[in-house]
Amino acid sequence: MRKVIVSMNVTLDGFMAGANGTLDWHFPFWNEEMTEYMTAQLQTADTILLGRLSYQVMADYWPHAAAQPLLTPAQSCFATQMNSFTKIVFSRTLHKASWQHTRIIRSHIKQQMLELKRQPGRDMVLLGSISIVQLFIRLGLIDEYRLWVHPVTVKQGTPLFRNNHHKTALQFLKAKSFSNGMVVLYYRCLPQQMPDNLYVVS
């Protein structure tokens, strides 16, 4: 069965975004080493899941990014992945999708996602899209977290597990560190099991 993987930038104190939705705290840390690693991660996927706002930002950029002359090999590969993968955007207000290989889901999200999981194909990766991450948490649709932890604190903003009223067991899988102090933490979501190497969030 295909997995739904949340790949999310978070601060050391657990926020997905700073006050007023700011994301400027993670741009200074992103480098070529991380782009290469992200590109390798996406080799196991073929679908990107997005909310409307994240989709519109990416749709304005990525279709033109591959033509930029100064891209590194890793950046060029990442641009190709973004454009060639299936994009699924969750929105009631987006009426037309201009980015190629895009499908809009407007309702019955849990039922449609469970059907997509059963279909043949590679994994589905949820990038950014804070409101969709929190919706998927409530619906129990997430199979794995890949948390890109930045060595910075913002003290206030949007926490990853905001308004999560159900306890979820997260089994630690592995970690990957980078020379700039960034760490990617991998967790498998096991809501009904309690293995030894787990963390419980509520």
Side-chain angles (χ1 to χ4, degrees):
M1 181 175 287
R2 304 167 76 190
K3 293 186 295 185
V4 169
I5 298 169
V6 169
S7 184
M8 174 66 65
N9 291 288
V10 297
T11 65
L12 195 59
D13 49 353
F15 291 96
M16 297 185 290
N20 301 316
T22 55
L23 298 172
D24 55 338
W25 47 269
H26 72 69
F27 293 116
F29 294 97
W30 203 270
N31 59 25
E32 184 71 359
E33 180 186 16
M34 294 165 60
T35 300
E36 291 177 355
Y37 190 75
M38 182 66 171
T39 300
Q41 273 193 336
L42 289 177
Q43 296 296 329
T44 64
D46 61 12
T47 302
I48 298 169
L49 308 176
L50 298 161
R52 179 182 59 82
L53 293 178
S54 295
Y55 174 81
Q56 290 178 319
V57 170
M58 292 185 181
D60 286 340
Y61 176 76
W62 287 111
H64 315 288
Q68 295 181 14
L70 299 180
L71 291 181
T72 65
Q75 290 170 337
S76 178
C77 183
F78 188 72
T80 298
Q81 290 173 321
M82 296 298 290
N83 288 309
S84 63
F85 281 14
T86 296
K87 272 76 64 177
I88 296 178
V89 55
F90 303 91
S91 174
R92 293 188 180 94
T93 59
L94 185 67
H95 299 292
K96 183 178 179 181
S98 58
W99 196 4
Q100 62 180 348
H101 310 308
T102 295
R103 170 185 172 185
I104 301 173
I105 291 182
R106 307 184 190 280
S107 61
H108 305 294
I109 291 175
K110 184 169 185 177
Q111 295 91 324
Q112 294 201 57
M113 285 305 305
L114 291 175
E115 177 60 29
L116 284 169
K117 282 188 174 189
R118 288 190 288 266
Q119 292 178 2
R122 298 181 180 180
D123 293 332
M124 298 174 281
V125 179
L126 207 170
L127 298 177
S129 304
I130 294 170
S131 63
I132 304 303
V133 171
Q134 293 179 337
L135 173 62
F136 274 37
I137 290 174
R138 294 195 298 272
L139 294 177
L141 291 171
I142 299 171
D143 299 293
E144 185 177 316
Y145 291 92
R146 296 176 184 176
L147 305 180
W148 298 70
V149 183
H150 294 244
V152 62
T153 59
V154 295
K155 298 183 180 180
Q156 60 179 332
T158 305
L160 174 58
F161 296 105
R162 181 180 66 179
N163 299 329
N164 182 24
H165 300 298
H166 303 283
K167 290 185 177 182
T168 301
L170 300 178
Q171 181 185 14
F172 176 72
L173 299 176
K174 64 178 181 178
K176 164 67 178 177
S177 61
F178 297 92
S179 58
N180 60 2
M182 285 279 300
V183 178
V184 183
L185 301 176
Y186 291 71
Y187 293 96
R188 179 181 293 126
C189 188
L190 300 173
Q192 297 180 347
Q193 299 182 42
M194 292 291 178
D196 293 335
N197 55 333
L198 62 77
Y199 297 85
V200 177
V201 294
S202 61

